[in-house]
Amino acid sequence: MRPAEYTLEEIVQAGEALQAAGRNVTGFALRQRVGGGNPTRLKQVWDQHLARSSVAEAVPVAELPVEAAEELAAVTRALTERLAALAVELNDKAVKAAERRVAEVVRAAGEQREQAERELADAAQTVEDLEHQLDGVKGELAATQAQLTEGLAQCQSQAVELAQLRERLSATEQAARMASEQHTAELKQLRDELAKAQARGEEAARMRGELDTLRAQNDALLAALKPAKPSGKTSRSGGAPAST
């Protein structure tokens, strides 16, 4: 067995020094004071020293007289009975107070339960109302979706029709533009022909004028060249009529 490093006297002196300094005597304080050692052993040695000191300093107590002992016993019995009665009374009061408290707690719990049941019933009714509203909203949503689908189909159909109308309009515009260009060309041609016709008319009028002039001149010449009609009388000399 390993011998103790420090003697009992050193440990006791260290503990007394700690007490004199007003410090608590602990195993670690003793170890620090003596400079080493096991704190548990140091504290055990100090506790044993304190136990021996208290036994050595104890003074024998003189026994009580018989009368005083009997009186003390009677007082003790009376005090014990009084304490027992007081304990019973306190226990009864405590039980009654606990019962009142339990009754209050039960009553409060009953009220809370009834309130909770009413709130639960209200919540159930609210949930039922919300479910009805939800069903209605679902129905409206389904109808809206159906209308939206129908509207989308109509929009698509209208888009197709619009595209077709745009194509026809584009073709019509192109045809109208071509017709307008053709009409413009024809109108220009007609104007040119009209201008030519007007020119030919003027030429014809001029020629008719010249023809009328020529006819007049021709008539005049024919008139001048036409022989004179005989008067029905013969010349006295019996000769032929004179030529012009």
Side-chain angles (χ1 to χ4, degrees):
M1 183 176 179
R2 183 179 177 182
E5 298 177 355
Y6 303 96
T7 63
L8 297 178
E9 289 77 8
E10 291 176 343
I11 297 172
V12 172
Q13 290 177 0
E16 291 175 349
L18 290 172
Q19 284 184 339
R23 295 178 57 187
N24 293 327
V25 181
T26 62
F28 288 98
L30 291 171
R31 184 176 184 276
Q32 183 180 9
R33 188 71 181 180
V34 299
N38 187 352
T40 303
R41 177 182 174 276
L42 297 175
K43 185 64 170 60
Q44 185 178 2
V45 172
W46 173 256
D47 292 339
Q48 291 175 356
H49 168 69
L50 291 179
R52 288 192 298 269
S53 298
S54 62
V55 172
E57 293 176 357
V59 178
V61 179
E63 295 182 0
L64 292 174
V66 178
E67 293 81 2
E70 292 177 354
E71 184 66 24
L72 179 60
V75 171
T76 302
R77 285 193 300 271
L79 182 60
T80 302
E81 293 175 357
R82 177 57 182 165
L83 289 175
L86 181 60
V88 172
E89 183 180 356
L90 291 176
N91 181 67
D92 182 65
K93 291 182 179 180
V95 169
K96 290 181 180 179
E99 290 177 351
R100 287 195 300 270
R101 179 59 180 167
V102 169
E104 292 177 358
V105 171
V106 170
R107 181 180 55 80
E111 293 178 354
Q112 292 178 357
R113 181 175 58 80
E114 293 176 357
Q115 180 67 24
E117 289 178 352
R118 289 193 296 269
E119 292 179 355
L120 183 60
D122 294 339
Q125 184 64 37
T126 302
V127 170
E128 186 176 358
D129 294 339
L130 291 176
E131 287 179 351
H132 289 311
Q133 294 178 5
L134 181 60
D135 292 337
V137 171
K138 286 182 178 179
E140 293 178 357
L141 180 59
T144 303
Q145 288 179 346
Q147 294 177 359
L148 181 61
T149 303
E150 183 179 358
L152 183 60
Q154 292 179 357
C155 288
Q156 291 177 351
S157 177
Q158 291 176 359
V160 173
E161 293 178 358
L162 181 60
Q164 294 176 353
L165 288 175
R166 286 179 177 174
E167 292 179 357
R168 289 199 294 269
L169 179 61
S170 178
T172 303
E173 289 178 351
Q174 185 176 0
R177 184 166 53 253
M178 294 176 63
S180 177
E181 292 176 357
Q182 184 178 1
H183 179 70
T184 301
E186 292 177 354
L187 183 61
K188 183 177 182 299
Q189 183 178 1
L190 289 175
R191 286 177 179 176
D192 293 340
E193 291 179 357
L194 180 61
K196 291 179 181 180
Q198 288 177 353
R200 287 196 298 269
E202 291 176 357
E203 181 67 19
R206 185 181 63 77
M207 291 179 66
R208 281 195 299 271
E210 291 179 356
L211 181 59
D212 291 339
T213 303
L214 289 174
R215 284 178 178 175
Q217 291 178 357
N218 188 31
D219 292 338
L221 287 174
L222 290 176
L225 292 175
K226 181 187 271 191
K229 294 180 178 182
S231 60
K233 295 180 177 181
T234 58
S235 175
R236 287 183 179 178
S237 60
S243 64
T244 58

